[in-house]
Amino acid sequence: MRDYKIVVLGAGGVGKSSVTVQFVQGVYVESYDPTIEDSYRKQIEIDGRACDLEILDTAGIAQFTAMRELYIKSGKGFLLVYSVTDENSLKELLSLREQVLRIKDSDNVPMVLIGNKCDLENDRVLSIDDGIKVSEDWGMVPFYETSAMYKTNVDDAFIDVVRQIMRKEAATSAEKKQAKEAQKQKEANPPAKAEPSARVPDSKEGADHARSKQSSATKQAPSKSKCCTIV
């Protein structure tokens, strides 16, 4: 069983706790009690693999930003939650995402964007297109509108981020294996040593050798007899 740590981020009052409790316990928490930090565990099977999820429901208020950095460092996947009834909550996610990318020092972080409270149609100020636009701006980050009350898309959002973590781990493992195989291949087939090149005589030696060869050839050549014509 693999352990996956998921961090739920967002402004205060967007329903982070309600979404988390609905996913973990299958109940809807209606009253809003500002969270400092709550940790939940849930075992679930995803794509035939047993997973033990540790879900950290973080504070949405400013005085706990230092604690948030610690959560981000330890997290493997992130759910960024806003409320469709609060335009500022979506704007706050922009800086939260930048914080995640900075702390993780990567542009490839498993992440899901959630627009919660989609059941409150009469109070809605953000359309689904607003969420889609942010998703596109973030490089097509998966986006779900959820309702913690009716459990709409709640499971899908959590499962999506876990699948992203699995894919990233598989890609990292494949890269390490490929690098290891390449190293083994390199050690098994070391580059051939260069053969010592024949010594090339310098110009003086070459000239002396040519003169010596010419002199020897002259000595060895048979002499030609002179012919006389007697009349």
Side-chain angles (χ1 to χ4, degrees), residues 142-194:
F143 165 62
Y144 297 87
E145 279 203 341
T146 62
S147 166
M149 177 180 288
Y150 298 110
K151 206 176 182 178
T152 307
N153 293 331
V154 171
D155 288 358
D156 293 338
F158 278 91
I159 290 172
D160 192 315
V161 77
V162 175
R163 283 188 173 132
Q164 290 183 55
I165 299 170
M166 289 178 175
R167 288 196 297 269
K168 185 174 181 180
E169 288 184 344
T172 302
S173 177
E175 287 175 4
K176 288 181 179 179
K177 185 177 180 181
Q178 188 176 8
K180 193 174 180 180
E181 290 295 330
Q183 182 63 28
K184 283 183 179 179
Q185 195 77 10
K186 186 177 179 181
E187 291 173 356
N189 302 290
K193 293 182 179 179

Side-chain angles (χ1 to χ4, degrees), residues 11 112 195:
V112 166
E195 292 292 334

Side-chain angles (χ1 to χ4, degrees), residues 122-142:
N122 293 335
D123 299 322
R124 178 190 284 270
V125 296
L126 293 169
S127 69
I128 191 170
D129 290 336
D130 294 321
I132 291 172
K133 184 180 185 305
V134 173
S135 166
E136 292 172 346
D137 291 343
W138 289 2
M140 298 307 295
V141 167

Side-chain angles (χ1 to χ4, degrees), residues 36 95-96 120 166 177 206:
I36 296 176
S95 60
L96 274 175
L120 301 179
M166 289 178 175
K177 185 177 180 181

